[in-house]
Amino acid sequence: MEFLQPPSLAEALAAKAANPDALPIAGGTDVMVELNFARRRPPILLDLTRVPELAGWSLQDGRLRLGAAVTYAELTGERDGRSPVAHGLGRLLPGLAMAARTVGSPQIRNRGTIGGNLGSASPAGDCHPSLLAAGAEIEVASSRGARLIPIDGFFTGVKRSALAPDELITAIWITRPSGPEQFAKIGTRNAMVIAVAAFGLALHPGRRSVGTGIGSAAPTPVRAREAEIFLAAALEEASLWDTGGALKESVVTEFGTLVGAASRPIDDVRGTAAYRRHALVVLARRTLAWAWTDYQRSGYQRSGHSGPTGSAGTVAEEG
Ligand SMILES: Cc1cc2nc3c(=O)[nH]c(=O)nc-3n(C[C@H](O)[C@H](O)[C@H](O)COP(=O)(O)OP(=O)(O)OC[C@H]3O[C@@H](n4cnc5c(N)ncnc54)[C@H](O)[C@@H]3O)c2cc1C
């Protein structure tokens, strides 16, 4: 097996163009498992760990650009390139940070990357529900040029994505949240486990909309669109975006039911389809209750939809 280690993005893209069957490796936490179990025998490994353009993150005009090589430890703020006090990304993208905190062990969180999670495109990838809820865009590049793929169009089948054979994932773009985010997952135990069902929720008071993401309960990660439309309409109708008043129990119940209905789970060793759907209904209701409490407590509605930590887009930060 040949091993290529390009020192720049241009050289990585050239190598991928010349060898479309080369397998990219970032943290290696999925790739090494596949190699060790002989599930895959690529002719070439394309090591991306020396490509500086894939590392780090920045905030540009209210949008966060996360390099594909950003690790879970960086997402949680456990390992922040800048300051241990600011908690960098963990503070800016709370939903993704919650999801990252549930991933593997400290070792996996130190090595595993957001780009690798997307590259594997597993229906159980823990970043995906939060990226769907946030309406992220995936920046991919080849020597032909770069393009942005909306996260809704990124997952094309079980462990399949819209990435062309000569393309690499270079970054993830996310509009800085204008409201609270939540993530919850159910597994067969509390840590080091593939999700049996997972759910991500984002309230977007700035655009008066709701984002959702379902994991491990369909062939690909999916949104619960009807649930999003229902909840946004219910919040609008009762002027709750403005008042932050109490959410009716019937709204929470119906939201959960619609999320469950959006899933297409299967029976497998980790859980039955019926259990997964039921778990999602519960996760959706719980995360909505938590997010709404956050909304009421944090004063999003009184701060002109800028969130509790300041106005989006005014802070120049990077890590
Ligand atoms: C013990 C253990 C526990 C785990 N727990 C979890 C968990 O709780 N939740 C979870 O979601 N995952 C979990 N995983 C899976 C894995 O850690 C994640 O999917 C991780 O995000 C993979 O990132 P990586 O950088 O290690 O990817 P790699 O293994 O390097 O690559 C993964 C895939 O992405 C491709 N790839 C990587 N970078 C790029 C790029 N820039 N462009 C194009 N393709 C690319 C590779 O070719 C490969 O197909 C676990 C794995 C292990 C071994």
Side-chain angles (χ1 to χ4, degrees), residues 115-135:
N117 209 220
L118 286 162
S120 292
S122 160
D126 279 321
C127 289
H128 311 331
S130 299
L131 293 177
L132 281 163

Side-chain angles (χ1 to χ4, degrees), residues 63 66 68 114-115 118-119 128 131-132 135-141 146-155 161-163 168-174:
R63 298 191 83 204
L66 313 182
I114 187 169
L118 286 162
H128 311 331
L131 293 177
L132 281 163
E137 289 184 299
I138 314 305
E139 181 191 289
V140 302
R147 64 184 176 122
L148 285 176
I149 307 175
I151 184 79
D152 301 61
F154 185 78
F155 305 105
S161 75
L163 206 62
L168 293 174
I169 300 163
T170 44
I172 294 88
W173 287 88
I174 304 175

